[in-house]
Amino acid sequence: MKVLVVGNGGREHALAWKLGQSPKVTKVFVAPGNAGTAIEATNVEIAATDIPALVQFATKNQIDLTVVGPEAPLVAGIVDAFEAAGLLVFGPSAAAAELEGSKVFCKNLLHTADVPTADYRTFRGTEEASRYIKDKYPEPNEPVPVVIKADGLAAGKGVIVCETRRDALEAIDRIAGQKEFGDAGNELIIEERLIGQEASVLAITDGETIISLPAAQDHKPAFDGDQGPNTGGMGAYCPTPIVDEAMFERIESDVLVPVVHAMKRARKPFKGVLYAGLMLTNAGPKVLEFNVRFGDPECQPLLMRLKSDLFEVLYAAAEGKLSQIGSLEWDERPSICVVMASEGYPGSYQKGLEITGLAEADEVEDVKVFHAGTTTKDGKVVNDGGRVLGVTAIGNSISTAKLNAYTAVRKIRWQGAWCRKDISDKAIEKA
């Protein structure tokens, strides 16, 4: 079988690496890929959003399965285009991808399906939203526990957590006034701020059968102690002890299953990865957001632990035969991914800086360095994005996995490189 992975991040490197381990797979292509996927597979110089060129490539090269990594091409309809060309593809249709492409659609669907989520209001433009905040919180200095979100795709950055009325009004202006996130801010959501710990539960589904993956915990804020602006994710670990067996079953029954049924009733049947971003509150798990693809960086520690053949699972899901797979086999040991980022991320940053120490880091026992924002220049690996590497490790305990990961991190250098130092500490404290 020949496989095409669409995308160029750490998630796509992990997918190419794991799919290439299948005895049924003879060739893996990645479009456009990065410096790391060039080692695991064959890079193809086609942008992830150039859907006609990707369809043409897959047809010409008789690709047996295409796996779409990022959200943008899914929302743009890549699955519909591939299926129209008679090509097998893993991922949701454009209609189903609206679950991530529009936070307003997602919140309305959760409300209709009676899935627990934060109370919310939707707005178009700054005037109405600002008036709502001023009316609800008339005192300038009183706490304003809200989260303000751009409706559309914003690379994980269109969510602003507010503490004061000034924070909220500034967030509204950034999203809907200044259009910091482009057209994603044409509509916005103001929702209550939930208190608790975040967890991510991903499931693979063909619209009928659901196979849930072990719970993970992402770290969205840029800096240690969950401080600073939101990012696309600064690290993750799997499994997370805050989701015990009873909680996991509750998430499946109260969140995943109702959403799959609700999508079917909405005539937008869901096939692909259903990613529930959750807040574990005193009142139980509540949905923060849904994504329609593997999370990045959650994908890396998940696939580090997966012992089953990933190709078989995704191929069956794409064919609508996931019921034939049964349960997946996992390494019992926990895993952790530490994201190394460019100086200035999640703001502006310099590209083209040489990265050293990658080979030495890969030699650390139970470590795999997944490339995200990298490329090659004059035969050298250089940074080409904000989140550059996902240093991923497995260990007999979460403490051992953390030690392995940070041992490898210390071997990698480029000008301005940085990372959070506390990835997985919440699990260690819980243990």
Side-chain angles (χ1 to χ4, degrees):
M1 295 283 189
K2 289 187 282 188
V3 179
L4 170 63
V5 176
V6 176
N8 66 340
R11 163 186 49 225
E12 288 76 36
H13 186 180
L15 287 166
W17 170 73
K18 184 58 74 171
L19 287 164
Q21 293 174 6
S22 171
K24 295 184 176 180
V25 173
T26 56
K27 186 80 173 176
V28 179
F29 298 93
V30 188
N34 56 43
T37 58
I39 299 168
E40 313 285 349
T42 300
N43 284 353
V44 182
E45 288 190 26
I46 303 174
T49 50
D50 190 348
I51 295 172
L54 290 168
V55 169
Q56 185 179 28
F57 175 85
T59 303
K60 182 179 177 182
N61 290 275
Q62 298 179 308
I63 299 296
D64 296 287
L65 176 68
T66 297
V67 179
V68 185
E71 61 274 21
L74 290 170
V75 171
I78 187 171
V79 168
D80 308 76
F82 268 68
E83 290 181 343
L87 297 162
L88 194 65
V89 57
F90 175 78
S93 65
E98 194 177 4
L99 195 59
E100 179 172 1
S102 169
K103 291 183 176 66
V104 171
F105 170 81
C106 177
K107 294 291 284 191
N108 291 341
L109 182 107
L110 294 174
H111 179 72
T112 303
D114 202 25
V115 173
T117 188
D119 290 337
Y120 70 101
R121 292 278 302 272
T122 64
F123 301 92
R124 286 185 176 273
T126 59
E127 189 175 338
E128 190 182 357
S130 297
R131 191 185 315 119
Y132 169 78
I133 289 292
K134 290 174 181 176
D135 289 347
K136 188 169 182 179
Y137 304 98
E139 297 298 325
N141 297 320
E142 68 177 304
V144 180
V146 300
V147 180
I148 301 180
K149 302 178 177 181
D151 173 52
L153 299 179
K157 301 172 193 173
V159 176
I160 303 172
V161 180
C162 304
E163 301 282 354
T164 66
R165 191 170 81 159
R166 183 176 180 179
D167 290 342
L169 295 175
E170 285 181 356
I172 291 167
D173 182 56
R174 285 173 60 190
I175 292 172
Q178 300 175 38
K179 290 294 181 73
E180 188 173 315
F181 309 106
D183 289 343
N186 288 345
E187 200 166 359
L188 60 83
I189 291 173
I190 300 176
E191 66 179 34
E192 66 168 325
R193 183 175 176 182
L194 299 175
I195 305 300
Q197 283 213 51
E198 289 189 42
S200 307
V201 176
L202 285 68
I204 296 171
T205 180
D206 60 2
E208 299 290 340
T209 301
I210 300 173
I211 297 179
S212 301
L213 312 183
Q217 189 169 45
D218 188 11
H219 297 64
K220 289 287 187 190
F223 308 128
D224 289 5
D226 287 338
Q227 300 298 308
N230 263 4
T231 69
M234 294 306 299
Y237 64 92
C238 171
T240 171
I242 62 172
V243 179
D244 58 21
E245 190 173 339
M247 177 69 76
F248 193 82
E249 290 176 358
R250 187 174 175 182
I251 291 166
E252 285 185 315
S253 63
D254 294 358
V255 176
L256 298 176
V257 171
V259 166
V260 170
H261 287 321
M263 291 296 285
K264 194 185 299 184
R265 285 196 302 273
R267 298 184 180 179
K268 299 181 178 186
F270 194 94
K271 175 190 72 178
V273 175
L274 193 61
Y275 167 132
L278 305 157
M279 184 69 81
L280 307 183
T281 73
N282 290 334
K286 293 191 177 186
V287 175
L288 294 171
E289 64 177 359
F290 264 104
N291 295 333
V292 298
R293 34 71 190 184
F294 283 104
D296 189 345
E298 294 97 332
C299 183
Q300 291 87 306
L302 275 167
L303 295 188
M304 195 80 169
R305 296 184 59 226
L306 181 64
K307 297 173 80 172
S308 298
D309 187 325
L310 180 65
F311 172 78
E312 284 188 352
V313 179
L314 302 189
Y315 193 86
E319 284 197 309
K321 299 178 181 178
L322 197 57
S323 60
Q324 299 176 8
I325 292 295
S327 59
L328 304 184
E329 187 181 356
W330 299 92
D331 193 315
E332 291 294 321
R333 297 175 296 167
S335 57
I336 168 179
C337 173
V338 177
V339 170
M340 297 185 70
S342 297
E343 185 176 16
Y345 178 80
S348 59
Y349 47 83
Q350 184 180 350
K351 296 182 180 182
L353 301 170
E354 183 184 356
I355 303 169
T356 61
L358 290 167
E360 292 82 354
D362 264 325
E363 288 173 3
V364 178
E365 189 174 2
D366 292 326
V367 164
K368 176 68 180 176
V369 179
F370 293 112
H371 290 234
T374 67
T375 189
T376 53
K377 182 181 178 183
D378 300 327
K380 297 174 181 177
V381 177
V382 298
N383 74 321
D384 193 46
R387 294 188 299 164
V388 180
L389 301 169
V391 181
T392 308
I394 200 165
N396 290 325
S397 67
I398 195 69
S399 297
T400 305
K402 180 184 177 184
L403 177 63
N404 291 342
Y406 282 101
T407 298
V409 164
R410 284 193 291 272
K411 296 181 181 297
I412 300 170
R413 292 284 182 273
W414 76 89
Q415 183 184 325
W418 66 279
C419 65
R420 279 184 59 161
K421 307 295 193 299
D422 64 344
I423 304 301
S424 80
D425 281 3
K426 293 172 186 174
I428 295 168
E429 288 164 12
K430 178 81 173 174

